[in-house]
Amino acid sequence: MVKNKNNRAIWNTRIKEKSSTLFQKVGSSINIDKRIYKEDILGSIAHVEMLFKQKIISFKVKNKIIYGLQKIDKEISKNKFEFSDKYEDIHMNIEKNLFKIIGEDAGYIHTARSRNDQVITDFKIWMKKATKEINNNLEKIIKSTIKISEKNIETIMPGFTHLKNAQPISLAHYLMAYVEMFTRDIKRFENNLESLNQNPLGVAALTGTSFNIDRNYTTKKLGFKYPTNNSIDTISDRDFVLDFLYSISVCSIHISRIAEELIIWNSDGFNLINLSDKIVTGSSIMPQKKNPDHLEHLRGKSGINFGNLITMLTILKGLPLSYFKDLQDDKEIAFKSYDTLIDCLKLFNEVLNNITPNKKEMYKLAESGYITATDLADYLVKNHSMSFRKAYQKTAEIVNLAEKKKKKLTELEINELQKIEPKLTSDVLKVFDLKYSVNSKNSYGGTSFENIKRMIMKYKKK
Ligand code: ARG
């Protein structure tokens, strides 16, 4: 590193006092942002290639810098690089080392750029890769979910509203609901690429630069689509971080909701699914216990991710344009949310492959709670030209009767039904059958077996 007379880092040239060691410790981000060293080196190489093309630096200097950067890349990947708090962040750590390797020519690297545009360039390149990795994992989950759905098209269970038996559904229909959610998650992450594809490099500290740089060149080199439009906005903008954290939060909600539901289904009260020993843990005191810790972990971690979104919103609230040290924490937050989500996605996929539906119990539960009452009301409307409200009233009377006689709807005799509605014939009894009920829901998006098969086909083609 080029040092001034007081032997301090170059950006401290005018600062007379030695920086507080406490601040050096807390203000340094190297332990966090060393994670984007590859992106930083990539950005720097594109930058110096552009500087050479624009005749701002010489061929020799460009080559020396690239040689040095590639050497640093290797050293870091082989764990042979010494990171130091003293140089604050990944940008200065690399620059300092470049001086060690190639000498004074390293000083040309920072022409026409600032750490302000440098850091968001690195961060956006990282986030594009992270987005891809998240979506790959989501695709795996969708595949696993479809696989289980295919095997459970005819598995009938109660559909709940208010967690009370509502109407019978196919287990596959329930699972395919999550395929819709995870597909929207993928789309949400993909939508973020629009702004992630705008290249910040070249806006320098906040104003742009007087050097004749070519931002389209670095844009292309670094795989962005366009250069950003306004230098002040570029430096200040962390919307892309919010978008990322929000998308992670929504995806976490989906995982948390299904985790919660599977915990309920696995409870001894419901007993609708079994979890293999791979995804349960024992209790330290109760020898009989097999607890759904994996699912609870998935549910709990969503809280961490929401918190990170709120943290970032709070950091940005009321922050004037353009760069402030406050912004430095954006990376730690995004990395944490990303790591948490990736772990959760992988864990969830493992969970999916270790659940068995308890088909008998599902069917048994669906037989209780007069779950086909709505089917009777629909039947009355269709076959006895009643208004739905009138049919609803008649059906309620029939449910009351069943309740009084402690019978299921399927156990009622036709003459008992006729006491309430004389026009009824024994043809009506079919509507109480669970399979009949499920298959009658053949409106687009409904739970009929045919619909589900078609939907599964559609997703498999995708
Ligand atoms: N490490 C800093 C960050 O992540 C880089 C930008 C520093 N710029 C500055 N003017 N201090 O935010």
Side-chain angles (χ1 to χ4, degrees):
M1 172 96 274
V2 174
K3 301 272 175 73
N4 58 22
K5 277 187 203 130
N6 304 326
N7 200 28
R8 264 182 260 117
I10 190 69
W11 72 99
N12 271 348
T13 303
R14 272 178 22 80
I15 296 169
K16 299 273 180 311
E17 296 258 3
K18 213 173 156 218
S19 174
S20 116
T21 40
L22 175 62
F23 186 70
Q24 205 172 77
K25 189 169 147 254
V26 297
S28 154
S29 62
I30 187 63
N31 277 328
I32 304 295
D33 56 30
K34 64 181 174 200
R35 181 168 175 165
I36 47 172
Y37 81 89
K38 274 217 178 284
E39 290 79 1
D40 195 69
I41 289 173
L42 214 72
S44 290
I45 291 177
H47 181 65
V48 293
E49 278 175 339
M50 181 278 293
L51 292 178
F52 162 67
K53 182 185 88 71
Q54 295 301 96
K55 303 192 171 68
I56 299 167
I57 61 171
S58 72
F59 184 68
K60 193 178 128 227
V61 165
K62 176 205 73 158
N63 283 347
K64 267 176 99 174
I65 291 177
I66 292 176
Y67 161 80
L69 289 171
Q70 281 166 345
K71 193 151 184 245
I72 291 170
D73 189 352
K74 265 191 212 122
E75 276 175 22
I76 299 178
S77 54
K78 284 186 186 153
N79 257 332
K80 283 186 182 142
F81 188 93
E82 215 181 297
F83 292 104
S84 164
D85 265 353
K86 230 164 74 192
Y87 303 109
E88 215 177 283
D89 57 25
I90 185 64
H91 325 297
M92 295 320 297
N93 268 271
I94 288 179
E95 188 176 320
K96 168 199 173 280
N97 237 268
L98 193 62
F99 273 94
K100 272 198 205 151
I101 299 170
I102 67 166
E104 285 303 309
D105 281 341
Y108 285 99
I109 193 177
H110 216 50
T111 316
R113 79 167 182 192
S114 152
R115 277 189 295 162
N116 295 355
D117 57 341
Q118 189 179 354
V119 69
I120 31 181
T121 305
D122 300 355
F123 198 17
K124 277 186 164 182
I125 296 174
W126 174 85
M127 205 173 275
K128 287 204 304 177
K129 267 193 269 177
T131 298
K132 216 172 176 184
E133 183 61 21
I134 290 171
N135 281 352
N136 283 342
N137 277 283
L138 277 166
E139 260 157 32
K140 280 187 199 151
I141 286 176
I142 289 175
K143 264 194 200 142
S144 303
T145 313
I146 290 177
K147 216 166 106 190
I148 311 172
S149 300
E150 267 185 305
K151 289 190 203 142
N152 285 288
I153 295 174
E154 304 212 3
T155 305
I156 290 172
M157 63 172 294
F160 307 103
T161 61
H162 310 266
L163 210 53
K164 299 277 288 177
N165 282 14
Q167 291 184 295
I169 56 165
S170 147
L171 171 60
H173 196 52
Y174 168 86
L175 293 171
M176 290 301 288
Y178 277 92
V179 168
E180 294 292 324
M181 287 173 244
F182 293 131
T183 305
R184 282 200 299 277
D185 289 338
I186 290 180
K187 188 92 188 97
R188 195 169 295 108
F189 280 108
E190 273 172 1
N191 289 342
N192 296 342
L193 291 173
E194 179 71 22
S195 47
L196 287 177
N197 270 322
Q198 296 183 352
N199 175 22
L201 194 60
V203 300
L206 81 159
T207 56
T209 173
S210 60
F211 287 98
N212 175 31
I213 61 171
D214 181 350
R215 295 191 61 207
N216 288 320
Y217 179 88
T218 53
T219 294
K220 217 167 155 195
K221 270 256 140 157
L222 294 171
F224 290 105
K225 286 200 173 138
Y226 330 90
T228 53
N229 291 322
N230 179 298
S231 58
I232 301 175
D233 169 57
T234 304
I235 294 306
S236 326
D237 169 31
R238 292 296 183 280
D239 294 3
F240 70 93
V241 184
L242 293 176
D243 291 341
F244 186 68
L245 295 172
Y246 172 70
S247 304
I248 287 181
S249 293
V250 178
C251 183
S252 305
I253 285 186
H254 294 150
I255 295 173
S256 178
R257 288 181 80 172
I258 193 167
E260 164 69 358
E261 193 136 45
L262 296 177
I263 290 167
I264 294 172
W265 292 4
N266 180 244
S267 69
D268 296 316
F270 274 76
N271 191 26
L272 297 183
I273 52 168
N274 293 315
L275 307 180
S276 90
D277 279 1
K278 211 173 165 187
I279 56 162
V280 292
T281 53
S283 150
S284 62
I285 175 170
M286 298 166 281
Q288 85 284 11
K289 289 297 288 292
K290 286 187 175 184
N291 296 326
D293 278 31
H294 291 57
L295 288 164
E296 290 162 18
H297 178 88
L298 292 172
R299 182 179 57 189
K301 286 296 168 193
S302 58
I304 306 271
N305 289 342
F306 307 159
N308 289 341
L309 171 63
I310 298 292
T311 306
M312 194 65 217
L313 285 165
T314 312
I315 286 174
L316 292 173
K317 178 191 171 295
L319 199 66
L321 309 184
S322 55
Y323 183 81
F324 290 89
K325 183 83 168 172
D326 312 43
L327 293 171
Q328 180 167 282
D329 285 324
D330 59 356
K331 287 169 291 302
E332 182 170 7
I333 297 164
F335 293 163
K336 264 194 199 156
S337 274
Y338 170 76
D339 290 342
T340 305
L341 183 67
I342 289 288
D343 282 347
C344 285
L345 290 171
K346 289 190 170 145
L347 189 66
F348 182 54
N349 202 29
E350 207 170 282
V351 166
L352 281 173
N353 292 313
N354 282 282
I355 312 176
T356 332
N358 202 340
K359 295 185 189 182
K360 261 195 204 143
E361 287 298 322
M362 284 186 169
Y363 197 87
K364 209 170 106 195
L365 185 58
E367 282 179 315
S368 67
Y370 316 104
I371 200 167
T372 45
T374 315
D375 299 273
L376 173 59
D378 290 351
Y379 177 89
L380 292 173
V381 171
K382 285 190 229 166
N383 296 280
H384 296 282
S385 52
M386 275 184 212
S387 78
F388 183 75
R389 277 293 159 246
K390 179 96 190 139
Y392 179 101
Q393 209 180 340
K394 285 275 173 207
T395 306
E397 282 174 50
I398 289 170
V399 172
N400 282 342
L401 176 77
E403 202 172 45
K404 208 170 111 197
K405 298 207 158 184
K406 295 198 166 42
K407 283 184 171 183
K408 292 177 181 158
L409 289 176
T410 44
E411 290 164 349
L412 289 173
E413 313 270 343
I414 182 64
N415 55 332
E416 290 173 302
L417 295 173
Q418 280 164 341
K419 271 185 203 137
I420 290 167
E421 179 45 61
K423 279 187 269 175
L424 285 173
T425 63
S426 53
D427 176 61
V428 68
L429 298 173
K430 69 183 181 207
V431 304
F432 297 134
D433 178 62
L434 296 178
K435 191 167 168 183
Y436 177 89
S437 165
V438 171
N439 269 321
S440 69
K441 308 298 164 17
N442 56 6
S443 56
Y444 186 82
T447 188
S448 77
F449 298 162
E450 276 315 306
N451 270 358
I452 300 168
K453 277 181 203 156
R454 234 176 287 133
M455 216 34 102
I456 290 178
M457 277 312 289
K458 195 170 146 180
Y459 272 104
K460 281 179 95 174
K461 264 188 211 149
K462 262 195 201 171

